[in-house]
């Protein structure tokens, strides 16, 4: 029996969003299948640059709708950012005047080479689906990128208003003014569709934990500020213990109940569905169909004995990193795997050994301050790369240098250019580069944004590297060292990939590792987080989930990483530096 009230009278457009790792893809797939099973024509679209829709549905997808085998009526697609960017560049170039020279066109193409253009182009594909490009489907379901990335894209039409009204010269890193004006109109139509409760429902997906709930509340508020108040809440992975004497299971359920009871009133007032935790990974059509059916725990006699994974703990990784005396540590992975907690624990562990450590984050959602709390410890500095602050700093710097000798008209034109939404991308990259450079003298630990956003930042790093080294003599003295070169240097940078012992997070970490290797960045090691095997729980549902851990740990060891570290599941997540320090010292 289907459990979602959402399916009683679904709108044509269903927009699933939320913190990484909360189950947006699983839930959007399950809803798409349920609607297709009713005989409806359904299009399922991923807007995540690090989409795992292919693995979930067990089929290969492209940037065009493709029928999903085994589900009549269901088509799916991934919006490919690179393909979308090239199409976008070509459309902009076609709008240029016939008299435009090859040099002019080359200049515009160079302007359109950044990560910002890639984001705009991918969003343009999304906009087309909202404004008539898929008119033959009864429902279009969007599985979005992790929240910070999605909110940035949704805010673009609003951000462009002042820029396009003020910019009379008609050019930016998004292309000529005429093309932008056309895009603004198109984007506004899409935003109107998203805000219309008769056409669109926005489903905020969360887990019953404080971090995910906090992120859902922030998302709800920021979407409402954009005029998107047609929201409902889906609490995924709700757990009910079967044995009141099982301390781990009872504590896990109590932590969920406590987190939900402290939900902000604005979120608690939304229509809500709760989806129970299931005893298996959400991969494949049978599992996805089961997500919206009444689950049953497997009987204990059908479960094999628990096998405790033999993995070095986080303290071993701390010792290895600290031995170098200084350096950059970048913690990466899919949203929801615990990157922030692992990054903070590593920083606390290194600082506890007497080193100076700067812990920061590039995540637009910025959960770091909540994990670390109000505590302090000697040698540890904690902050974040704040896009608004960095943009203001960058603009002030440009005005005081490039604008210093300009007349008032020249300064006004420069301010117009700097009002572009793309200035934020440049400012964040400069802040990231500055932080990377700090590791020459002490430890810097960076908690990165979810995978897709991180890859865009690395793309910007690579573009800067190519620009700066294009005309350099490799044999010249005083060779320039770019941020990318520092990331590629294993003596300078240690990249740590974090995953859960589950199929999809391991696959996504593997895909991220492939992307890093293409950029000649070799990860130092993997951390498998939240392993339940060592807890000793007897709960049938939790035991069933644990049986899949061993195969995933073996998969990581055999196919992905030579260095693998393990972190145990905690019914009560670490809060504050005391807990993080203890976590980093466990053996």
């Amino acid at each position: 029996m289907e459990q979602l009230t959402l399916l009683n009278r679904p709108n044509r457009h269903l927009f699933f969003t939320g913190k990484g790792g909360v189950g947006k893809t699983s839930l959007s797939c399950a809803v798409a299948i349920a609607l297709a099973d009713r005989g409806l024509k359904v299009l399922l679209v991923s807007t995540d640059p690090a989409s795992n829709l292919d693995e979930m549905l067990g089929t290969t997808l492209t940037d065009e709708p493709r029928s999903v085998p085994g589900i009549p009526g269901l088509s799916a697609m991934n919006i490919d950012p690179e393909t979308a960017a090239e199409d976008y560049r070509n459309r902009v170039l076609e709008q240029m005047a016939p008299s435009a020279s090859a040099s002019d066109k080359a200049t515009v193409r160079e302007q359109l080479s950044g990560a910002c253009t890639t984001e705009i182009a991918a969003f343009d594909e999304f906009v087309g689906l909202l404004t008539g490009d898929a008119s033959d489907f009864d429902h279009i379901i969007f599985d979005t990128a992790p929240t910070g990335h999605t909110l940035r894209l949704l805010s673009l039409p609003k951000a462009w208003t002042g820029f396009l009204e003020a910019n009379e010269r008609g050019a930016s890193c998004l292309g000529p003014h005429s093309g932008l004006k056309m895009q603004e109109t198109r984007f506004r139509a899409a935003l109107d569709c998203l805000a219309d409760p008769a056409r669109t429902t926005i489903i905020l997906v969360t887990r019953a934990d404080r971090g995910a709930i906090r992120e859902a509340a922030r998302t709800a508020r920021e979407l409402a500020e954009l005029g998107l108040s047609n929201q409902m809440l889906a609490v995924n992975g709700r757990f009910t213990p079967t044995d009141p004497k099982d301390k781990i299971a009872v504590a896990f359920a109590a932590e969920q109940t406590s987190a939900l009871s402290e939900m902000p009133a604005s979120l608690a007032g939304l229509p809500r569905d709760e989806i129970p935790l299931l005893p298996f990974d959400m991969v494949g059509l049978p599992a996805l169909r089961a997500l919206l059916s009444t689950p049953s725990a497997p009987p204990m006699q059908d479960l094999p004995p628990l096998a405790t994974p033999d993995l070095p703990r986080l303290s071993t990784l701390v010792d290895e990193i600290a031995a170098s005396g200084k350096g950059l540590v970048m913690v990466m992975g899919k949203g929801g795997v615990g990157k922030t907690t692992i990054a903070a624990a590593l920083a606390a562990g290194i600082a506890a050994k007497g080193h100076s450590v700067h812990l920061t984050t590039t995540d637009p959602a910025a959960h770091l301050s909540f994990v670390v709390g109000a505590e302090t410890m000697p040698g540890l500095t904690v902050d974040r790369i704040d896009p608004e602050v960095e943009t203001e700093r960058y603009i002030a710097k440009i005005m005081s240098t490039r604008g210093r000798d300009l007349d008032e008209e020249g300064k006004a034109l420069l301010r117009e250019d700097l009002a572009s939404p793309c200035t934020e991308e440049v400012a964040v990259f400069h802040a990231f580069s500055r932080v990377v450079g700090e590791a020459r003298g002490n430890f810097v630990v960076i908690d990165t944004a979810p995978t897709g956003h991180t890859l865009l930042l690395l793309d910007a790093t690579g573009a800067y590297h190519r620009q700066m080294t294009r005309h350099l003599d490799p044999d010249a003295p005083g060779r320039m060292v770019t941020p990318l070169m520092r990331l590629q240097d294993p003596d300078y940078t240690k990249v740590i990939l974090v995953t859960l012992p589950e199929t999809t997070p391991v696959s996504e970490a593997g895909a991220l590792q492939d992307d890093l290797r293409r950029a000649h960045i070799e990860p130092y090691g993997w951390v498998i987080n939240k392993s339940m095997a060592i807890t000793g729980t007897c709960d049938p549902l939790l035991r069933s989930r644990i049986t899949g851990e061993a195969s995933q740990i073996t998969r990581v060891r055999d196919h992905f990483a030579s260095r693998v570290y393990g972190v145990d599941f905690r019914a009560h997540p670490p809060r504050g530096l005391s807990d993080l320090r203890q976590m980093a010292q466990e053996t």
Side-chain angles (χ1 to χ4, degrees), residues 225-294:
E225 290 172 357
L226 292 169
L228 281 61
S229 299
N230 44 325
Q231 306 169 10
M232 67 172 296
L233 186 67
V235 180
N236 195 22
R238 192 72 166 97
F239 174 64
T240 303
T242 57
D243 182 356
K245 296 180 181 179
D246 188 324
K247 293 182 179 180
I248 292 294
V250 170
F252 182 25
E255 180 71 17
Q256 286 194 339
T257 300
S258 175
L260 290 173
S261 70
E262 298 172 9
M263 183 184 298
S266 59
L267 207 59
L270 294 176
R272 181 163 89 190
D273 281 321
E274 292 192 2
I275 301 94
L277 183 71
L278 294 184
F280 42 79
D281 282 355
M282 288 292 101
V283 178
L285 301 185
L288 293 169
R289 273 202 165 98
L291 182 59
L292 301 185
S293 302
T294 303

Side-chain angles (χ1 to χ4, degrees), residues 136-261:
D136 53 338
F137 288 96
D138 299 306
H139 294 279
I140 305 177
I141 298 175
F142 296 96
D143 168 36
T144 72
T147 315
H149 185 85
T150 299
L151 287 174
R152 180 180 176 190
L153 294 179
L154 289 177
S155 67
L156 283 172
K158 185 177 179 181
W160 280 6
T161 301
F163 173 65
L164 292 175
E165 289 176 354
N167 191 324
E168 298 298 332
R169 293 188 302 155
S172 82
C173 59
L174 296 181
H177 186 125
S178 59
L180 289 180
K181 198 65 184 176
M182 178 192 71
Q183 294 300 101
E184 185 199 20
T185 302
R186 181 172 156 90
F187 278 26
R188 289 200 168 282
L191 205 60
D192 289 343
C193 178
L194 284 172
D196 185 352
R199 291 185 284 172
T200 303
T201 300
I202 298 170
I203 302 97
L204 302 167
V205 186
T206 184
R207 292 275 182 177
D209 70 68
R210 286 174 173 80
I213 290 171
R214 185 169 54 246
E215 176 70 6
R218 185 183 75 90
T219 304
R221 182 180 66 253
E222 295 191 17
L223 289 174
E225 290 172 357
L226 292 169
L228 281 61
S229 299
N230 44 325
Q231 306 169 10
M232 67 172 296
L233 186 67
V235 180
N236 195 22
R238 192 72 166 97
F239 174 64
T240 303
T242 57
D243 182 356
K245 296 180 181 179
D246 188 324
K247 293 182 179 180
I248 292 294
V250 170
F252 182 25
E255 180 71 17
Q256 286 194 339
T257 300
S258 175
L260 290 173
S261 70

Side-chain angles (χ1 to χ4, degrees), residues 2 4 7 16 24-37 44 57 141 282 287-292:
E2 294 171 354
L4 292 185
L7 288 169
F16 288 82
K24 297 185 302 295
T25 302
S26 302
L27 199 53
S28 59
C29 285
V31 167
I33 291 170
L35 292 173
D37 284 346
L44 176 60
L57 295 173
I141 298 175
M282 288 292 101
L288 293 169
R289 273 202 165 98
L291 182 59
L292 301 185

